Amino acid sequence: MDGMRTAQESSIIKNTSNMAKTKYLIEGTSRSGIIFGAFFSGFHCLKYGIRIATDPGLVYEAIGASVLSLGALAAKPATRPSLPYAAMLIGMDCFSIYMKEDV
């Protein structure tokens, strides 16, 4: 969504062809997909690693993996704008864990 807004507001992009606009949007979407895919898979790897290493329980696994993965995302200035979306992904994962009946 941010890429679409940027494309509409940018005077340089407004003057380009539709194919260039499409390429710009696809590149932004791909970049976001890669960032969130890597982030969320890293989060789950950390969560599983914490479970294997110490088995503190579901809540502490999620807290530990959240701190580490969000810290890694915050370390690079280019990925900091993605922090709210990453936190939302973690929140949805925690809610999913909470709603499981067998836990």
Side-chain angles (χ1 to χ4, degrees):
M1 296 306 280
D2 291 336
M4 291 177 64
R5 186 182 66 225
T6 304
Q8 290 173 348
E9 293 174 355
S10 174
S11 61
I12 295 171
I13 296 175
K14 280 184 181 179
N15 295 330
T16 61
S17 67
N18 286 336
M19 190 61 158
K21 290 176 189 174
T22 302
K23 183 179 177 187
Y24 175 79
L25 291 174
I26 289 173
E27 286 175 357
T29 303
S30 300
R31 184 174 42 253
S32 294
I34 289 169
I35 288 171
F36 284 113
F39 166 78
F40 206 53
S41 63
F43 168 75
H44 278 283
C45 287
L46 285 168
K47 198 165 85 167
Y48 184 68
I50 290 170
R51 178 180 300 162
I52 289 174
T54 60
D55 196 22
L58 293 173
V59 173
Y60 295 108
E61 289 170 11
I63 290 171
S66 299
V67 168
L68 293 172
S69 58
L70 287 174
L73 199 63
K76 190 168 183 178
T79 57
R80 286 183 191 151
S82 302
L83 278 172
Y85 305 108
M88 183 182 66
L89 276 175
I90 291 173
M92 291 185 331
D93 185 61
C94 292
F95 184 74
S96 172
I97 290 170
Y98 174 74
M99 291 304 291
K100 285 184 180 177
E101 293 181 43
D102 59 358
V103 174

